[in-house]
């Protein structure tokens, strides 16, 4: 084994240990047993990797946060587990395809998630991002945002406030992620998006998203937030001044 290979292995081992310590700090105590049970089931199923993602991994949980994971391997039984668990499952081939096709969620997991365990595919994929300078396709996120905003407008029109808040939050999140990717700024967790948007001068979108995360805006406010987001996605994009690529913490 060359010295560089040995050093690379040591760095990866240190990363795994660091992530393990971080997960003990950021996973709520009342959910840690759920984390352990999921890990046991994932290993028993022959999964290649399991990652803790989302706001928990970033240490930015809010009252609406789930416990999010990205599982690389076969689906596992979770019907008897807490509703707070949000499990995204892909096969190894699907992970590689989505990475090369510019899927931002895949890159998010590889850049910012905590690695619970990995047989090699996560390490391999992270190296691929670095070697080929892969970047998510902003147009994919723009298309998702447009579709989600149409649904959000319909939910606001329905008068169902709870459903409208949830759908507008989703649509504004997608819009935010598109804006950031276009500016070559990698989106962080949902709770961190408003701050990133303000740095790039998208103040109205930032305020609307923050409101749907931390409060329950009324229908007229939600309609204004949708107007703001639709105006952004429907006009030609103009960068507001990129900060460069965000790096994994």
């Amino acid at each position: 084994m060359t010295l560089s290979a040995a050093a690379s292995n040591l760095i990866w081992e240190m990363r795994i240990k660091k992530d393990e310590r971080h997960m003990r700090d950021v996973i709520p105590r009342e959910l840690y047993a759920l984390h352990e049970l999921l890990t046991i089931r994932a290993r028993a199923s022959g999964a290649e990797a399991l990652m803790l993602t989302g706001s928990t991994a970033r240490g930015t949980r809010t009252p609406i946060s789930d416990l999010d994971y990205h599982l690389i391997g076969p689906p596992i039984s979770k019907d008897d587990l807490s509703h707070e668990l949000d499990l995204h499952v892909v096969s190894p081939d699907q992970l590689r395809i989505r990475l090369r096709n510019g899927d931002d969620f895949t890159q998010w997991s590889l850049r910012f998630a905590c690695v619970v365990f990995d047989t090699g595919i996560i390490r391999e994929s992270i190296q691929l991002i670095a070697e080929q300078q892969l970047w998510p396709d902003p147009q994919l996120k723009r298309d998702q945002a447009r579709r989600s905003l149409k649904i959000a407008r319909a939910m606001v029109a329905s008068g169902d406030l709870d459903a409208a808040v949830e759908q507008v939050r989703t649509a504004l999140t997608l819009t935010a992620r598109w804006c950031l990717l276009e500016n070559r700024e990698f989106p962080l967790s949902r709770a961190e998006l408003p701050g990133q948007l303000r740095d790039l001068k998208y103040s109205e979108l930032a305020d609307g998203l923050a409101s749907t995360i931390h409060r329950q805006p009324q229908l007229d406010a939600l309609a204004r937030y949708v107007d703001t987001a639709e105006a952004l996605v429907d006009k030609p994009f103009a960068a507001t001044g990129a900060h460069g690529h965000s790096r994994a913490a």
Side-chain angles (χ1 to χ4, degrees):
M1 178 182 297
T2 66
L3 179 60
S4 60
S8 178
N9 288 340
L10 178 60
I11 290 171
W12 186 248
E13 290 173 7
M14 292 173 62
R15 157 75 187 273
I16 298 296
K17 290 178 181 178
K18 179 183 177 182
D19 284 356
E20 182 179 357
R21 292 193 299 269
H22 182 65
M23 286 186 285
R24 290 190 178 276
D25 290 336
V26 297
I27 297 175
R29 184 175 303 176
E30 65 274 16
L31 295 177
Y32 203 82
L34 174 62
H35 167 76
E36 292 181 318
L37 180 55
L38 177 66
T39 303
I40 290 170
R41 289 190 185 181
R43 287 186 181 278
S45 74
E48 293 201 22
L50 178 66
M51 296 177 283
L52 174 70
T53 67
S55 60
T56 305
R58 292 288 301 169
T60 59
R61 285 179 62 86
T62 67
I64 62 172
S65 295
D66 292 321
L67 198 59
D68 302 297
Y69 292 88
H70 201 155
L71 175 69
I72 316 303
I76 63 174
S77 173
K78 63 183 183 68
D79 291 344
D80 60 327
L81 300 180
S82 169
H83 67 280
E84 294 190 60
L85 173 66
D86 188 355
L87 183 62
H88 183 77
V89 182
V90 295
S91 70
D93 286 343
Q94 287 173 324
L95 180 79
R96 295 185 181 99
I97 290 170
R98 292 180 185 185
L99 178 58
R100 292 185 179 278
N101 286 349
D103 178 63
D104 73 308
F105 175 72
T106 299
Q107 278 215 27
W108 198 103
S109 294
L110 296 170
R111 289 168 178 265
F112 300 113
C114 293
V115 180
V116 183
F117 67 84
D118 174 41
T119 63
I121 189 170
I122 300 305
R123 185 177 177 182
E124 163 200 316
S125 299
I126 291 172
Q127 290 173 340
L128 186 65
I129 290 174
E131 291 169 359
Q132 299 190 11
Q133 297 185 326
L134 299 179
W135 188 255
D137 182 356
Q139 187 59 44
L140 293 177
K141 194 54 57 180
R142 188 180 204 170
D143 292 342
Q144 291 175 9
R146 281 177 170 147
R147 291 192 294 269
S148 187
L149 285 165
K150 288 181 180 179
I151 299 172
R153 187 170 292 285
M155 292 306 304
V156 171
S158 77
D160 184 336
L161 182 58
D162 289 340
V165 170
E166 182 175 352
Q167 183 57 47
V168 171
R169 183 193 306 126
T170 297
L172 297 185
T173 298
L174 292 170
T175 304
R177 295 181 71 84
W178 161 69
C179 287
L180 291 164
L181 289 172
E182 286 280 21
N183 277 282
R184 303 298 288 182
E185 187 78 15
F186 208 99
L188 301 177
S189 67
R190 176 180 276 162
E192 296 171 281
L193 294 179
Q196 289 185 284
L197 290 170
R198 292 189 182 99
D199 286 345
L200 293 173
K201 312 304 181 186
Y202 294 104
S203 298
E204 289 185 72
L205 180 59
D207 292 344
L209 178 55
S211 180
T212 63
I213 293 172
H214 300 292
R215 295 182 291 280
Q216 188 174 53
Q218 295 304 302
L219 292 171
D220 57 342
L222 293 174
R224 290 197 303 273
Y225 302 158
V226 173
D227 289 341
T228 296
E230 285 186 332
L232 284 172
V233 300
D234 287 340
K235 70 179 182 181
F237 174 77
T240 62
H243 296 171
H245 297 221
S246 292
R247 296 172 183 263

